[in-house]
Amino acid sequence: MSLNEALTEQKSTLLEALQSDAADLDDVLPELRAADIAEILEDIAEEDDDTPTVFALLDHLSVERRANVFGYLPSDMQGELAEAMSDETLLALFEEMSSDERADLFNLLDEDRREGLLRRMAKQEREDLKRLASYEEGTAGAIMTSDYVAIPSGMTVSQALMRVRQTAPDAETVYQIYVLAEEGRLAGTLSLRQLMVARPGALVDDLMIKDVISARVDDPQEDVARLVARYDLLAVPVIDSDERMVGIVTHDDAMDVAEEEATEDFHKGMSIGQLEDGVSRVPLWSLYRKRVIWLVLLVFANLFSGAGIAYFEETIAAQVALVFFLPLLIGSGGNAGAQAATLMVRGMATGDVGVKDWGTLLGRELLVAGSLGLTMALAVAPIGVMRGGEAVAMVVAMSMVTIVLFGSLLGMCLPFLLNRLGWDPATASAPLVTTLIDASGVVIYFSIATAILTSV
Amino acid sequence: MSLNEALTEQKSTLLEALQSDAADLDDVLPELRAADIAEILEDIAEEDDDTPTVFALLDHLSVERRANVFGYLPSDMQGELAEAMSDETLLALFEEMSSDERADLFNLLDEDRREGLLRRMAKQEREDLKRLASYEEGTAGAIMTSDYVAIPSGMTVSQALMRVRQTAPDAETVYQIYVLAEEGRLAGTLSLRQLMVARPGALVDDLMIKDVISARVDDPQEDVARLVARYDLLAVPVIDSDERMVGIVTHDDAMDVAEEEATEDFHKGMSIGQLEDGVSRVPLWSLYRKRVIWLVLLVFANLFSGAGIAYFEETIAAQVALVFFLPLLIGSGGNAGAQAATLMVRGMATGDVGVKDWGTLLGRELLVAGSLGLTMALAVAPIGVMRGGEAVAMVVAMSMVTIVLFGSLLGMCLPFLLNRLGWDPATASAPLVTTLIDASGVVIYFSIATAILTSV
């Protein structure tokens, strides 16, 4: 049974239980996982447009579990549900949510509501929430949690273990322990595994790793995700500009960020702006806006192809058969160029390709693209002979090699160039590369045609 | 200082230390992280082509650390280094490597070498290695490790904690404990956190979660990665067809798989076959092969565009100005279509879009693409007036709306269709979509042109 089928089944079981008897529901609900309940609720809210049922189901969950489910809901839905809740219910929910998810939800509420809620919170909780909610979206600060295990420098192993036990119910992870020196500065870190096998009387300061891999609170979130992936970490500590520890980013949040960033790069690669949500949920107007900008820009960029054609109108009028090969030649160049650009953009995003590799990669691309061009020229030459004789075949074959070679080199170099200019290399999208190669392809093709066919 | 700069600096420090004095090296090496040493060694082997230095540096590492570094090296380099090692050195390395990385390395060796090594191993180690090495690449079995903490059903909390302490040095993670019933069947799981806060005399069987999220040994690796991401897991247990537990896949390996799969989808989206390694390292011949297949196929697919043009040759000859708008119109259709396809392919890969959403998404795309087409028609109409008068402007505007709408719908539906046929939706690559839209665009454009311009 696929995940989707299982969820559909669970959903109907839940809805049946809700209609028949509350006791039934209390049998079914505890067996479901928070992530799955969240997906079912999302489905009920969107497909069935039935918010009352969503609330009825949420009411049957314990506050703790409700907080857990909430963390898995898409943010717009979290916001809508929170607005319909009373201050009391929302505060109770806040208390059970992890600090990072609470701050995200808090930021979705309107100004007045936020002020009202803050006034009703205990001082420490309020300060923590205000601080976490203040970090800019897309930074380490915005995805970190303040629920981690920190111990002061100087403790013994058994004291530290005691502290871990005390903090266990609230901390996001207890498996990495952070040792703080004066003023909350991060002095070192050690794992619960190290603590468990160490002699109880040993000093934590003698066991801990002092050269800690950490992120700055204003580091871009994708850099933090890359640290977690590169060093196989459970969590990265986050420090502020005074070297004080302010939070941790856990492996699961890092994985979410990595997925989010990959999606963004996918969309950028096809000239789509950054969507705030999944494609099935984002508002239509937003989807239109994120797609139209580049499309219209590219319409104008495409005029260069038109201008090229206008310039060679005489050649075309004399040999209309040449138009036959036009989409094929510029299409092939565009495809090869888009391949080259994609290889570079993705290589740069995963850290496989650095700016210093440019020279080597240029040499490699020259060889590969040259071979590709020759192969494609051989494939197209017989058709050239058939459609227009040997002279046309020669024009088409020569154009193919030149266009594919030029297109590939352009596609390969553009991401590096954009990177140099401080732009995101992913802006070198397939549509942009294709459009640029279209225009150059027109000029290359008809120049070769004019040269060869008028000399014949 | 960027990561790349830091590594370059560390590399030169290392090389200097190596040349001056072994004692210096022993000062520098312990301060570097395994992942960073691996990257420096890779750089020395590839940029400087200096294998002797790689071996000299490896010799200065303890076997334990060497095993750790080895796990971060690209697999082709692991294989080359292992081939140059004596059986003794390699067996010592094997002993310290984690079981999944050892199996991967083992699979890189040639038949004779493998036989020789197996004969020199202890029975249990040999069985474990043979079993792990036998799973097909790309499955849960191939990425799982057999170094996990398993306890028999019936233990108390304090007995279980004792077992965790004993296993700690060898297990890949000690933070999730698996409880096995008779014949090694997975009965439940609990976290070390649960164990630490529980009463020492309590029974593990009363605390554990019985409904365990698990993967099958032959599940595709991307499904396992998605489980880890969806349920925020530290590790997923892997079971065989008899429900026996055979290994775990840890969060860091799941993250690597997710990155690998995203890269593969990126490449597929631009009609590039699956590369065995990063673009800067993969052999040129392989790079050529992975790119040429689709490119040549698309050359022939592009002939349909040519055929369309040949069919309308009369219309074109009568109005050569029409060619001016050809790249622009088919390019715009291709761009809009590639956007639509990318949104669907990525949505399906992340689980945001399911096959059941097809109807809703079609309605949405109809609205968005219609608006996009109208906007682009408005942008291009004035140019139509300038280049060929009102009739041409009308032809171009009408063609733009039709082509963008048709292209977007085609791009949106193709991934679903491929999925239905049991193909990977990512095969609906931008080049394929663009080529299909090119051919249809030619027919749409010149049909409208023939109809309007001959009736005028």
Side-chain angles (χ1 to χ4, degrees):
Chain A
M1 191 159 55
S2 80
L3 182 64
N4 270 331
E5 287 162 353
L7 284 175
T8 312
E9 202 180 292
Q10 288 175 351
K11 179 182 161 188
S12 55
T13 317
L14 261 186
L15 293 181
E16 266 170 45
L18 184 68
Q19 271 152 18
S20 63
D21 192 358
D24 281 4
L25 200 60
D26 293 337
D27 282 345
V28 181
L29 268 178
E31 290 192 357
L32 298 181
R33 292 173 229 285
D36 296 337
I37 298 181
E39 187 147 335
I40 292 171
L41 292 181
E42 202 188 320
D43 198 52
I44 294 175
E46 272 161 30
E47 302 266 301
D48 315 342
D49 199 17
D50 184 3
T51 324
T53 302
V54 172
F55 273 107
L57 285 170
L58 279 175
D59 279 342
H60 274 276
L61 297 168
S62 68
V63 188
E64 201 184 326
R65 223 161 130 68
R66 198 184 304 159
N68 211 340
V69 168
F70 238 73
Y72 285 105
L73 290 174
S75 57
D76 55 340
M77 191 171 159
Q78 285 190 39
E80 281 164 33
L81 292 175
E83 290 200 356
M85 285 179 185
S86 71
D87 275 10
E88 283 72 28
T89 322
L90 193 50
L91 282 168
L93 188 71
F94 268 10
E95 205 149 309
E96 293 295 331
M97 285 179 90
S98 68
S99 63
D100 50 341
E101 287 169 358
R102 175 171 51 207
D104 292 342
L105 175 54
F106 182 74
N107 274 336
L108 294 171
L109 303 172
D110 62 44
E111 187 78 38
D112 288 350
R113 190 80 197 270
R114 283 191 293 207
E115 286 302 320
L117 288 168
L118 282 178
R119 242 175 286 129
R120 301 179 62 166
M121 282 181 186
K123 180 157 185 275
Q124 207 195 328
E125 211 185 333
R126 184 170 61 222
E127 294 303 315
D128 185 59
L129 178 56
K130 273 168 80 174
R131 190 170 58 80
L132 279 183
S134 69
Y135 295 110
E136 210 182 320
E137 222 181 308
T139 64
I143 54 167
M144 75 187 183
T145 170
S146 51
D147 306 325
Y148 54 90
V149 184
I151 57 173
S153 179
M155 275 193 166
T156 64
V157 166
S158 61
Q159 285 172 322
L161 278 171
M162 182 70 79
R163 183 65 74 88
V164 170
R165 268 190 211 95
Q166 285 161 356
T167 332
D170 292 322
E172 192 113 331
T173 177
V174 298
Y175 303 133
Q176 199 66 36
I177 293 111
Y178 302 94
V179 184
L180 302 184
E182 66 286 359
E183 289 173 37
R185 269 199 285 278
L186 181 61
T189 183
L190 80 173
S191 65
L192 180 56
R193 185 201 297 234
Q194 281 176 282
L195 274 186
M196 289 198 61
V197 296
R199 200 169 41 80
L203 281 174
V204 163
D205 293 57
D206 294 336
L207 296 169
M208 70 186 187
I209 297 169
K210 294 194 184 71
D211 177 23
V212 188
I213 299 167
S214 63
R216 291 270 172 174
V217 80
D218 52 359
D219 278 349
Q221 60 176 9
E222 59 265 39
D223 289 1
V224 183
R226 229 192 280 173
L227 274 185
V228 171
R230 180 181 171 88
Y231 297 107
D232 294 341
L233 304 173
L234 268 176
V236 192
V238 182
I239 54 177
D240 69 10
S241 51
D242 299 323
E243 308 278 325
R244 273 193 299 257
M245 178 158 179
V246 286
I248 59 169
V249 175
T250 51
H251 66 94
D252 50 322
D253 290 335
M255 200 165 177
D256 291 344
V257 167
E259 188 183 297
E260 215 177 273
E261 295 289 333
T263 299
E264 215 183 295
D265 278 359
F266 260 98
H267 291 171
K268 254 194 207 144
M270 224 51 71
S271 294
I272 304 167
Q274 192 179 341
L275 300 179
E276 312 84 51
D277 203 346
V279 62
S280 60
R281 278 190 306 270
V282 78
L284 287 180
W285 163 242
S286 169
L287 200 56
Y288 166 81
R289 225 157 17 103
K290 301 293 176 171
R291 289 174 65 179
V292 78
I293 300 169
W294 269 101
L295 286 180
V296 169
L297 279 179
L298 290 171
V299 164
F300 291 105
N302 257 314
L303 288 177
F304 288 106
S305 305
I309 290 172
Y311 182 82
F312 288 104
E313 212 159 68
E314 267 177 52
T315 311
I316 300 171
Q319 277 272 12
V320 179
L322 286 176
V323 181
F324 179 90
F325 293 98
L326 182 62
L328 189 154
L329 287 171
I330 62 181
S332 299
N335 290 341
Q339 282 183 338
T342 300
L343 286 168
M344 291 308 122
V345 168
R346 184 62 187 161
M348 289 165 96
T350 57
D352 170 44
V353 168
V355 174
K356 67 179 168 68
D357 301 324
W358 184 80
T360 328
L361 287 165
L362 185 71
R364 286 169 61 95
E365 185 63 30
L366 213 61
L367 281 171
V368 173
S371 317
L372 289 173
L374 281 174
T375 314
M376 292 158 82
L378 285 177
V380 85
I383 307 159
V385 176
M386 268 160 48
R387 290 282 316 170
E390 278 176 32
V392 169
M394 204 159 88
V395 168
V396 171
M398 282 178 63
S399 302
M400 183 64 102
V401 177
T402 320
I403 293 174
V404 167
L405 195 60
F406 174 82
S408 299
L409 293 179
L410 181 76
M412 198 222 105
C413 295
L414 200 59
F416 285 97
L417 185 72
L418 290 167
N419 191 55
R420 255 290 153 83
L421 297 173
W423 289 39
D424 183 345
T427 318
S429 61
L432 179 63
V433 169
T434 306
T435 304
L436 291 176
I437 295 171
D438 278 2
S440 339
V442 165
V443 175
I444 293 172
Y445 178 34
F446 290 125
S447 299
I448 294 180
T450 310
I452 292 190
L453 297 182
T454 46
S455 73
V456 169
Chain B
M1 189 158 58
S2 79
L3 182 65
N4 269 331
E5 287 164 354
L7 284 175
T8 312
E9 202 181 293
Q10 287 176 350
K11 179 182 161 188
S12 55
T13 317
L14 261 187
L15 292 181
E16 265 171 45
L18 184 68
Q19 271 153 19
S20 63
D21 193 357
D24 282 4
L25 200 59
D26 294 335
D27 282 346
V28 180
L29 268 179
E31 291 192 355
L32 298 181
R33 293 175 229 284
D36 296 336
I37 298 181
E39 185 147 337
I40 292 171
L41 291 182
E42 202 188 319
D43 197 53
I44 294 174
E46 271 160 32
E47 301 266 300
D48 315 344
D49 199 17
D50 184 2
T51 323
T53 302
V54 172
F55 273 106
L57 285 169
L58 279 175
D59 279 343
H60 275 276
L61 297 168
S62 67
V63 189
E64 202 185 326
R65 223 161 130 68
R66 198 185 304 157
N68 211 340
V69 168
F70 238 73
Y72 286 105
L73 289 174
S75 58
D76 56 339
M77 190 170 161
Q78 283 190 39
E80 282 164 31
L81 292 175
E83 289 201 357
M85 285 179 185
S86 71
D87 275 8
E88 283 72 30
T89 322
L90 193 51
L91 282 168
L93 189 70
F94 268 9
E95 205 148 310
E96 295 293 333
M97 285 179 89
S98 68
S99 63
D100 51 339
E101 287 169 357
R102 175 171 53 205
D104 291 342
L105 175 54
F106 182 76
N107 274 336
L108 295 171
L109 303 172
D110 61 45
E111 187 77 38
D112 288 350
R113 190 79 197 272
R114 283 189 292 204
E115 286 302 320
L117 287 169
L118 282 177
R119 240 175 287 128
R120 301 178 63 166
M121 283 181 185
K123 180 157 184 276
Q124 205 196 329
E125 210 184 335
R126 185 171 58 222
E127 295 303 316
D128 185 60
L129 177 55
K130 273 169 78 173
R131 189 170 57 82
L132 280 183
S134 70
Y135 296 111
E136 210 182 320
E137 223 181 305
T139 64
I143 53 167
M144 74 185 184
T145 171
S146 52
D147 306 326
Y148 54 91
V149 185
I151 59 172
S153 177
M155 274 191 167
T156 63
V157 166
S158 62
Q159 285 172 321
L161 278 171
M162 182 71 78
R163 183 66 73 87
V164 170
R165 270 191 207 95
Q166 285 162 357
T167 332
D170 291 323
E172 192 113 328
T173 177
V174 298
Y175 303 132
Q176 198 67 34
I177 293 112
Y178 302 95
V179 183
L180 302 185
E182 66 287 359
E183 288 174 37
R185 269 199 285 278
L186 181 60
T189 183
L190 78 173
S191 65
L192 180 56
R193 184 201 298 231
Q194 282 177 279
L195 275 185
M196 288 197 63
V197 296
R199 198 168 42 79
L203 281 175
V204 162
D205 293 57
D206 295 335
L207 297 169
M208 70 187 185
I209 296 169
K210 294 195 182 71
D211 178 24
V212 188
I213 299 167
S214 63
R216 291 269 171 174
V217 80
D218 51 0
D219 277 349
Q221 59 176 12
E222 59 266 37
D223 290 1
V224 184
R226 228 191 280 174
L227 276 184
V228 172
R230 178 178 173 91
Y231 298 107
D232 293 343
L233 304 172
L234 266 175
V236 193
V238 182
I239 55 177
D240 68 9
S241 51
D242 299 323
E243 309 279 324
R244 272 193 300 257
M245 178 159 181
V246 287
I248 58 169
V249 175
T250 51
H251 66 95
D252 50 323
D253 291 336
M255 199 164 177
D256 291 345
V257 167
E259 187 183 299
E260 218 176 89
E261 295 290 333
T263 299
E264 217 183 292
D265 278 358
F266 259 99
H267 291 170
K268 255 195 207 141
M270 225 48 73
S271 295
I272 305 167
Q274 192 180 343
L275 300 179
E276 312 83 54
D277 204 345
V279 61
S280 61
R281 278 190 307 268
V282 78
L284 286 182
W285 163 242
S286 170
L287 200 55
Y288 166 80
R289 226 159 13 104
K290 302 293 177 173
R291 289 173 63 178
V292 79
I293 300 169
W294 270 102
L295 286 180
V296 170
L297 280 179
L298 291 171
V299 164
F300 290 105
N302 258 314
L303 288 177
F304 288 105
S305 305
I309 290 171
Y311 182 81
F312 289 103
E313 211 159 69
E314 265 176 53
T315 312
I316 301 170
Q319 276 272 17
V320 180
L322 286 175
V323 181
F324 179 91
F325 293 98
L326 182 63
L328 189 155
L329 287 171
I330 63 180
S332 298
N335 290 343
Q339 283 184 337
T342 300
L343 286 168
M344 290 308 123
V345 168
R346 183 62 186 162
M348 288 166 96
T350 56
D352 170 44
V353 169
V355 174
K356 67 177 168 70
D357 302 324
W358 183 80
T360 328
L361 287 165
L362 186 71
R364 286 169 61 96
E365 185 63 31
L366 213 62
L367 280 172
V368 173
S371 317
L372 290 173
L374 281 174
T375 314
M376 292 158 83
L378 285 177
V380 85
I383 308 159
V385 176
M386 269 159 49
R387 290 282 317 170
E390 278 176 31
V392 169
M394 204 160 88
V395 169
V396 171
M398 281 177 63
S399 303
M400 183 64 103
V401 176
T402 319
I403 293 174
V404 167
L405 194 61
F406 174 82
S408 298
L409 293 180
L410 181 76
M412 198 223 106
C413 295
L414 201 58
F416 286 97
L417 185 72
L418 290 167
N419 191 56
R420 256 289 155 88
L421 296 173
W423 289 40
D424 183 345
T427 318
S429 60
L432 179 62
V433 169
T434 307
T435 303
L436 291 176
I437 294 172
D438 278 4
S440 339
V442 165
V443 175
I444 293 172
Y445 178 35
F446 290 125
S447 298
I448 293 179
T450 311
I452 293 190
L453 297 184
T454 46
S455 72
V456 170

